[in-house]
Each structure stands twice: as C-alpha cells, then as structure tokens.
Amino acid sequence: MSNCIFCKIANHEIPGKILYEDNDCIAFLDLSQTTKGHTLVIPKAHAKSVLEIDQDNLAKSFKVAQNMANMLKTKLNANGVNIITNSGIIAGQTIEHFHLHVIPRFDENDTFEINFTDNSQICNLDEVFKIIKE
Ligand code: 5GP
Ligand code: ZN
C-alpha cells in the first residue's frame, strides 16, 4: 500500500534498524523500545491485521518472531519474551499493517506489563460459554 509506513520500511523506501529479512518478512527495531530490543516482525505483503492476513504469511511471520525472540533473548540476556499483536484501535493498534511485537523481558520493573485480571465475578464463565457456543 503506497501510504503505509511499514510497507515503506519493507521496501527500503524509509530507513529502519533491520535485524532480519527474507523474501516474505522483515524484522526491525521498534522506535519506541518499550523494553530494550523491542522488535517488530512484519510480512512484506500488506495486510491490515491478524484478522485479515492470509494464514501462510501469518505462519511465516510467527516463525520469524520465534527466531527473533530466541536471538534477542540470547544477545540481550533477557529472561523472557512477550509476542503480541494488536488488532483494532481499541486493542491498541496504531499502524494498520500486521505486525508482531517481540518484547524481551528482563524483570518486574522492565517498563512493560500485561495484566490478566480475574473478572470472572463480572463475566460469568457459564454464560459467556453459552453465548459463544450458541
Ligand atoms: P501498534 O500500536 O500498531 O501495535 O504498534 C505500532 C508500533 O510501531 C509502535 O510500537 C511504534 O513505536 C512503532 N512505530 C511507529 N512508527 C514507526 C516507524 O516509523 N519505525 C519504527 N521502527 N517503528 C515505528
Ligand atoms: Zn503496509
């Protein structure tokens, strides 16, 4: 897509700190460096989000993300890694070209946090299951 910033990075039209590239995917450092080594993996073919991307390119992107995660963990001496993708504004997506965030994790004060809070008092498990299965 001509006005997509990630397509432009994939096409080398604008610079990026590229860590890996093959025929289908590219991995580069995220500008924000949420944690040290925060990396984005994208397919070269434009797709809006995880909901639209074809599953072949999705699989290829995840394979690269796994390799990047292991490489970053080793090189930066990280203790863990989060791999996440946002789809839609409400989910935090700001760039509409599918990307996987590979976020090395170091310790509890490493400036990135995901909270899976227990909301089962509000969202009744049986009711939710019934709605989805209907
Ligand atoms: P999202 O919020 O869509 O899940 O993630 C978009 C990410 O892209 C953000 O973490 C942001 O820092 C990163 N980003 C936005 N523009 C650029 C850019 O031009 N170059 C790089 N390397 N990262 C970018
Ligand atoms: Zn694009």
Side-chain angles (χ1 to χ4, degrees):
M1 249 174 71
S2 60
N3 62 347
C4 171
I5 195 160
F6 283 2
C7 281
K8 286 181 179 163
I9 292 174
N11 293 331
H12 300 273
E13 290 169 30
I14 61 170
K17 300 262 187 247
I18 295 168
L19 298 175
Y20 173 82
E21 180 171 8
D22 61 28
N23 287 339
D24 305 300
C25 298
I26 193 162
F28 53 97
L29 288 176
D30 190 299
L31 280 183
S32 70
Q33 290 299 287
T34 293
T35 66
K36 185 170 66 178
H38 179 187
T39 294
L40 299 173
V41 176
I42 65 169
K44 289 185 173 176
H46 183 88
K48 189 174 172 190
S49 82
V50 69
L51 301 179
E52 292 87 6
I53 188 173
D54 79 73
Q55 293 189 334
D56 190 34
N57 279 330
L58 180 64
K60 285 173 177 166
S61 299
F62 257 104
K63 282 182 189 174
V64 173
Q66 184 195 41
N67 290 339
M68 296 307 300
N70 278 305
M71 186 274 279
L72 291 167
K73 190 165 178 275
T74 302
K75 291 261 177 140
L76 299 175
N77 206 21
N79 293 311
V81 180
N82 289 106
I83 297 177
I84 63 168
T85 186
N86 302 324
S87 179
I89 292 168
I90 192 66
Q93 185 176 16
T94 57
I95 305 281
E96 290 194 335
H97 178 130
F98 170 74
H99 48 282
L100 291 168
H101 294 263
V102 181
I103 303 173
R105 301 303 306 273
F106 299 92
D107 55 50
E108 58 274 12
N109 301 315
D110 66 8
T111 64
F112 184 72
E113 196 176 3
I114 296 180
N115 281 320
F116 291 100
T117 49
D118 182 354
N119 289 322
S120 56
Q121 297 293 328
I122 305 159
C123 290
N124 180 273
L125 201 63
D126 294 330
E127 285 173 19
V128 175
F129 185 71
K130 189 163 168 276
I131 293 165
I132 294 168
K133 290 293 280 181
E134 261 171 11

